[in-house]
Amino acid sequence: MSHFVLTCTGCDAEHTVTMRVLECSACGCPLRIDYRGAGPAGAPMQVPLRRPAAALTLGEGNTPSIAMPAAGIAAGVEQLYGKLEFSNPTGSFKDRGSAMMMSALVEHGVGEVVEDSSGNAGASVSAYAARAGISAHVFAPDSTPKAKLRQISVYGATLHTIEGPREEAAAAAIRFAESRNVVYASHALSPFFLEGMKSFAYEVSEQFPGRMPDHVVFPVGNGSLLIGAYMGFEALAERGRLSRTPALHAVQAEAAAPVAAAFYDQPWIKAEGARTVAGGISVAEPPQLHRMVQALRATGGSAATVGDDDILRWQRLLAEREGIFAESSAAAAFAGLEALATRGIISPGDAVLAPVTGFGLKESPAAQG
Ligand SMILES: Cc1ncc(COP(=O)(O)O)c(C=O)c1O
Ligand SMILES: [Zn+2]
């Protein structure tokens, strides 16, 4: 008997634990992990692994949170902290999810996986696959920054560049997985990947023992960090280890804003040819849209959209005034914070945390789709 089950986030149907099923067979919604017991020893919080002590690791997590006073003044808040997720082994927060998902894949004896990505998740999955001896196929848009494509290849993954927007890469990955009967290790859908993201919340609660931040502002595409952090805060609250969950906010690029639209009950249709420099958050149809909106609403958070000019202005500002070279998708969170402060949703006296999700060297200066 496993100490957890896979439960549908839509209809609550339970599914046998397998690495091959990502959506409910009854209603098509994504699955979550529900724990039925403490599980094996070896991890401070519950994890969906049989042997947590033997989990794959490249030293991910435990990223620093540092004060960013100059950026705070520019955004209109007195207390701003950045959690430096680019300190993770492959330069982005995705390593939290990859470590957990790839560990589960190893436990299930999987030897080959398919993934699609705007770059960072692909690089991260490739690194952990290399470590695990699993062969990985990564599908990425051909507009992905060269540095990220190179990073995927250097770990030995087979890179498939696909013409067109991000959705084309996802569709090609699914076709490939089905035709070859290979496991689709989708970071956007895998409940194991999301479980790995919970550590972000655990670390925040340890790094801010006196006063938790009032707000956490996330750059959001598929929402893995937003949903994972929300689940982590919930798990801490259930154990009486958190007095209050911070308000969680989603920032999206104007060109790809389905979450912001859904939060404000507005329809959203991707404009033909709409592009953004922030390729990491450019997701037109995120499969976990409802869970994201629920996380924002349940915590008293909100959503904001930002244009490329503001994203690039914040990328420069963070580098020049804080010494932090964030990739554009990461800088978007700070542009969104400024927008939320301007709208009065975040007050000047509130304490705010934003993850710096990816390192600036991962992308070339030219715009990508
Ligand atoms: C640097 C960076 N920030 C934020 C995101 C958004 O993450 P998610 O799609 O899980 O919301 C990504 C996704 O690739 C990313 O690469
Ligand atoms: Zn269902």
Side-chain angles (χ1 to χ4, degrees):
M1 257 287 280
S2 177
H3 65 288
F4 63 93
V5 292
L6 296 178
T7 311
C8 174
T9 56
C11 73
D12 286 332
E14 281 185 15
H15 298 258
T16 313
V17 175
T18 155
M19 300 309 289
R20 290 194 170 263
V21 177
L22 296 172
E23 288 162 327
C24 175
S25 48
C27 76
C29 287
L31 304 175
R32 66 167 187 268
I33 281 161
D34 274 350
Y35 293 98
R36 292 286 187 258
M45 296 290 279
Q46 288 167 312
V47 290
L49 300 175
R50 288 193 288 267
R51 295 180 302 280
L56 273 181
T57 182
L58 284 166
E60 61 290 333
N62 292 316
T63 56
S65 289
I66 63 163
M68 299 175 65
I73 290 168
V77 293
E78 286 151 26
Q79 286 184 74
L80 174 61
Y81 301 90
K83 190 158 168 57
L84 306 184
E85 289 296 290
F86 61 56
S87 310
N88 276 298
T90 74
S92 87
F93 71 100
K94 304 278 185 185
D95 294 340
R96 297 176 184 276
S98 299
M100 186 71 76
M101 180 175 73
M102 299 307 288
S103 296
L105 287 160
V106 170
E107 286 195 350
H108 286 79
V110 173
E112 188 176 19
V113 296
V114 181
E115 155 76 324
D116 61 278
S117 165
S118 64
N120 280 337
S124 179
V125 164
S126 302
Y128 286 82
R131 182 101 178 156
I134 290 176
S135 75
H137 295 268
V138 178
F139 287 71
D142 58 1
S143 54
T144 303
K146 295 251 177 326
K148 289 184 183 174
L149 296 177
R150 161 98 178 111
Q151 194 185 4
I152 292 165
S153 305
V154 84
Y155 295 121
T158 307
L159 176 64
H160 306 250
T161 48
I162 304 296
E163 208 181 310
R166 175 80 175 73
E167 301 81 69
E168 294 296 334
I174 293 168
R175 279 196 303 274
F176 182 91
E178 283 172 359
S179 66
R180 305 260 195 120
N181 195 28
V182 177
V183 170
Y184 179 36
S186 164
H187 71 279
L189 279 167
S190 166
F192 294 90
F193 194 93
L194 289 182
E195 284 294 304
M197 289 293 160
K198 288 161 99 174
S199 60
F200 179 89
Y202 305 155
E203 290 168 25
V204 172
S205 78
E206 281 167 15
Q207 289 171 335
F208 296 86
R211 183 186 171 188
M212 282 287 280
D214 300 297
H215 307 270
V216 185
V217 182
F218 297 94
V220 163
N222 279 306
S224 67
L225 189 56
L226 169 64
I227 298 168
Y230 174 59
M231 294 193 310
F233 285 124
E234 291 291 283
L236 289 171
E238 276 165 25
R239 282 161 185 73
R241 286 168 54 181
L242 193 71
S243 51
R244 186 177 48 93
T245 298
L248 307 184
H249 304 268
V251 178
Q252 298 210 283
E254 279 161 7
V259 180
F263 178 79
Y264 292 109
D265 292 317
Q266 302 287 320
W268 190 81
I269 298 158
K270 187 179 178 185
E272 192 65 37
R275 290 165 74 85
T276 170
V277 287
I281 53 172
S282 183
V283 180
E285 292 174 19
Q288 314 255 19
L289 178 74
H290 297 295
R291 290 175 87 184
M292 289 193 253
V293 173
Q294 202 241 330
L296 304 179
R297 293 200 171 134
T299 59
S302 66
T305 59
V306 290
D308 280 2
D309 287 352
D310 286 329
I311 293 173
L312 294 171
R313 178 169 57 83
W314 270 93
Q315 188 179 38
R316 273 194 307 276
L317 192 155
L318 292 173
E320 290 174 1
R321 298 203 207 158
E322 297 285 5
I324 291 174
F325 187 17
E327 66 169 285
S328 50
S329 294
F334 294 85
L337 163 61
E338 182 185 40
L340 292 169
T342 304
R343 279 161 52 196
I345 292 173
I346 292 181
S347 304
D350 292 347
V352 182
L353 174 77
V356 186
T357 48
F359 194 50
L361 278 183
K362 277 169 159 280
E363 58 191 5
S364 51
Q368 67 265 349

